[in-house]
Structure formats: C-alpha cells, structure tokens
Amino acid sequence: MDIAHLFYMYLPLILALYVITRHLIHKLLNFPPTPFPVIPLIGHLYLLKKPLQKTLSNLSDSYGPVFFLWLGSRPVLVVSSVSAAEECFTKNDINFANRPQFLYAKYLGNNYTSLIWAPYGDHWRNLRGISSIELLSSYRLQKLSQIRLDEVQTLMHKLFLSCNENKYQTLQMKPALSKLMFNVMTRMIAGKRYFGENTLKSEEAKRFQEIIAESSVLVGASNTGDFMPFIRWFVLNKMEKRLKNLHKKRDELAQKWIDEFRDKLSDNSGESEDKSMIEVLLSLQQREPDYYTDETIKSLMLIYRVQFL
C-alpha cells in the first residue's frame, strides 16, 4: 500500500482529530463561545449567508452577545450588545486599536501607513493630531464653511430646475448627495470640484470620476485572499494587479495637486486666507520637511476621499 493511498484513507480521521483538538484548545484558552466545527482552511466561512447581519444575529441568539469566529485564517470577535461594545471601546480600546491588514489597504492605504490603516502608535497619533488640529478643527471648518454652503445651494438649484421641468420626475437623491460630498471634499482638499455641469469637458474631472468609480468597486469587493492566503499562493490574484494600477492613478492625481499648489506658493501668488488642506500641509512641510513628505501629504488627502466611498 503506497503513501498516497494511506494518506487518503486516514484523511477523515486526521481532519476529525484536528477539529476536535482545536475546539478543546479554544476551550482551555477561555476564548468566547464559538460555533463548532471550525473547518480547516475556511474556518466558519461556511456559516455566512446573506444578509450577513441576519446570520450574525442568529449566531448571537445561539452563542451570546460576544462570540468568536474564524473567517478563514482571520480571528473575528463579534460583539452585539451595547455594554460589551462600550467595554471594548473604553476600558480595552488600545487592545482593539489596530486595523486588519487587508490587501486593498496595502495599496490604497500607502502600505498600511495612512490614518485609517496605520497600526496604533506614535505615527498614528501624529496623523490623528494633524487631522484633528490642523485640518478638521472647528476653526478650520468654519473658515471653509462657504464651500459647503455654496455646494448645497448649487444642488438645491439643480433639484429645483429638475422639478420645474418635470413635476412627476423621480429624483435619485443618493447619487446627487454623493456628488455633493465629493465636491465639498475636493474643494476643501484642493480647491477643485469634479462633478456638475461646469466639469463635463474637463479631462481631469473625468479621470477623477473614473478613479472614484473604480475605488468604490475594489474597496467594496470581497477579496478571498484576505481570508484564505493560500489562494494567493496558488492563484494569480487579478485583484492585486487592479489595486496596483488604481494606486498609481490616485498617486499621480494627488501629486499633480501638490505640484500645482507648490508652484503657486513659489510664485508668491500666495496662501489664501481660507487655506485648502494642501496649503496647510505644504506650510507644515516647510517647517518639518523630513516628516511631512509628499507621501504623507498624499496619504492624508486621499484618506478623506476614501471615507465617502
């Protein structure tokens, strides 16, 4: 009897021993309750069905408000009660401060160094301080309030004209509000708007819209390799190629914004009283060039766009 035949003959027994042993170790380590069995390689992925929130609610009914799942190779703690969530994010907030290292965060999060994806530590605290004090403080938001007012008035005028043209027309508010938010953000970041009638002939606006559309698809798509890394070892990952290409497009556009503002500053066409985000960051770069590199500036700019995807 050859080795291969013996392997296949004893494979069910090996798998059974693996599942039982893992379950006993889970118990001994005093982990939260977990569904049985944990299948090798896929973990509890076999339990997840759409809608996901309904599946998790049913599991919570069976295993309590705090339970443990293995999504492939990734450990996941599911918390479904207010008191448990409060304990996680107050008493134990540092233990839950880090972010999972998903593939798209590697390319769209500047190799896990952006504000959203950076591990908890000095670098993350510095980025958070820049955001809360220099970029999103009450003073800064008040200075840029005219941008928000202007964009809301533009949207209201457009909706008013649409209603007058056809009183029975159904208005799709979600895309209109999405364009509103992107125009607010890009004007705050770079002083530019990329959605609306005045942008239809702009190649840069067209390129920005394509980047946003592609980002929405790739960030919202589930990548099996994030949960089962062995798939990436054996299968050519098309998602990774698309993310690399998207990162290149985003980086080129952000660098173009930085170069334009740097040229304005060098020409003494000056800093405006109501500084855009790029102007604020470039002024910080002049004081601390080693820390406020172009890469750091691009990372901060792009992360605010991602939040609205």
Side-chain angles (χ1 to χ4, degrees), residues 126-155:
N126 287 338
L127 292 178
R128 187 174 183 274
I130 295 167
S131 299
S132 58
I133 297 172
E134 299 288 354
L135 303 179
L136 297 176
S137 64
S138 298
Y139 171 79
R140 185 67 60 197
L141 292 175
Q142 181 61 33
K143 280 289 186 181
L144 298 174
S145 61
Q146 185 58 42
I147 292 175
R148 299 192 294 278
L149 178 62
D150 184 43
E151 288 299 328
V152 170
Q153 288 177 340
T154 300
L155 175 61

Side-chain angles (χ1 to χ4, degrees), residues 106 196 220 238:
K106 176 181 178 181
K238 294 181 180 179

Side-chain angles (χ1 to χ4, degrees), residues 182 195 206-220 242 246 309:
F182 275 118
F195 292 93
K206 182 180 179 182
R207 186 162 69 253
F208 177 85
Q209 292 170 22
E210 290 172 351
I211 289 172
I212 291 300
E214 192 173 355
S215 298
S216 300
V217 171
L218 294 181
V219 173
R242 294 178 66 187
L246 176 60
L309 293 179

Side-chain angles (χ1 to χ4, degrees), residues 180-190 304-305 308:
L180 165 71
M181 293 309 303
F182 275 118
N183 277 338
V184 169
M185 290 303 298
T186 53
R187 286 184 66 182
M188 289 175 64
I189 293 169
Y304 289 107
R305 280 170 32 196
F308 287 90

Side-chain angles (χ1 to χ4, degrees), residues 1-256:
M1 186 176 296
D2 59 16
I3 295 176
H5 184 73
L6 283 171
F7 175 78
Y8 285 115
M9 186 171 66
Y10 288 106
L11 181 60
L13 178 60
I14 294 170
L15 291 177
L17 287 172
Y18 170 84
V19 170
I20 294 170
T21 302
R22 185 164 183 170
H23 186 71
L24 291 174
I25 292 174
H26 185 93
K27 290 276 189 182
L28 290 172
L29 293 175
N30 198 29
F31 281 5
T34 187
F36 181 82
V38 181
I39 296 178
L41 301 181
I42 69 170
H44 293 111
L45 286 172
Y46 68 94
L47 293 174
L48 302 187
K49 299 176 183 177
K50 293 182 179 181
L52 181 60
Q53 66 272 19
K54 181 64 176 176
T55 299
L56 295 178
S57 177
N58 292 337
L59 290 171
S60 179
D61 292 340
S62 301
Y63 297 97
V66 179
F67 61 95
F68 194 89
L69 294 177
W70 280 98
L71 301 186
S73 62
R74 290 189 178 272
V76 175
L77 184 70
V78 182
V79 178
S80 59
S81 75
V82 174
S83 58
E86 184 178 3
E87 186 172 348
C88 288
F89 295 112
T90 53
K91 296 179 181 178
N92 300 287
D93 56 336
I94 293 179
N95 294 323
F96 294 95
N98 288 328
R99 283 76 168 167
Q101 292 192 341
F102 291 135
L103 182 65
Y104 67 80
K106 176 181 178 181
Y107 294 101
L108 307 188
N110 201 23
N111 199 26
Y112 312 114
T113 60
S114 65
L115 178 60
I116 290 181
W117 297 105
Y120 181 77
D122 291 339
H123 176 67
W124 179 84
R125 284 192 291 268
N126 287 338
L127 292 178
R128 187 174 183 274
I130 295 167
S131 299
S132 58
I133 297 172
E134 299 288 354
L135 303 179
L136 297 176
S137 64
S138 298
Y139 171 79
R140 185 67 60 197
L141 292 175
Q142 181 61 33
K143 280 289 186 181
L144 298 174
S145 61
Q146 185 58 42
I147 292 175
R148 299 192 294 278
L149 178 62
D150 184 43
E151 288 299 328
V152 170
Q153 288 177 340
T154 300
L155 175 61
M156 295 301 294
H157 180 68
K158 182 179 179 181
L159 294 176
F160 178 76
L161 292 178
S162 297
C163 290
N164 280 344
E165 291 174 3
N166 189 344
K167 294 182 179 181
Y168 301 101
Q169 180 182 6
T170 301
L171 295 176
Q172 297 292 333
M173 293 303 298
K174 184 175 179 179
L177 293 174
S178 178
K179 292 174 182 178
L180 165 71
M181 293 309 303
F182 275 118
N183 277 338
V184 169
M185 290 303 298
T186 53
R187 286 184 66 182
M188 289 175 64
I189 293 169
K192 299 184 179 186
R193 67 194 309 271
Y194 289 110
F195 292 93
E197 294 179 359
N198 296 332
T199 65
L200 296 178
K201 296 181 180 180
S202 169
E203 287 298 320
E204 186 174 323
K206 182 180 179 182
R207 186 162 69 253
F208 177 85
Q209 292 170 22
E210 290 172 351
I211 289 172
I212 291 300
E214 192 173 355
S215 298
S216 300
V217 171
L218 294 181
V219 173
S222 59
N223 180 31
T224 310
D226 283 330
F227 302 96
M228 294 185 286
F230 68 91
I231 290 180
R232 292 180 62 192
W233 300 340
F234 298 105
V235 180
L236 183 63
N237 198 327
K238 294 181 180 179
M239 174 75 78
E240 191 161 5
K241 285 188 173 182
R242 294 178 66 187
L243 285 168
K244 286 180 180 178
N245 186 50
L246 176 60
H247 168 69
K248 182 180 178 183
K249 293 178 184 177
R250 286 160 44 101
D251 189 77
E252 288 174 350
L253 180 59
Q255 188 63 55
K256 180 177 183 295

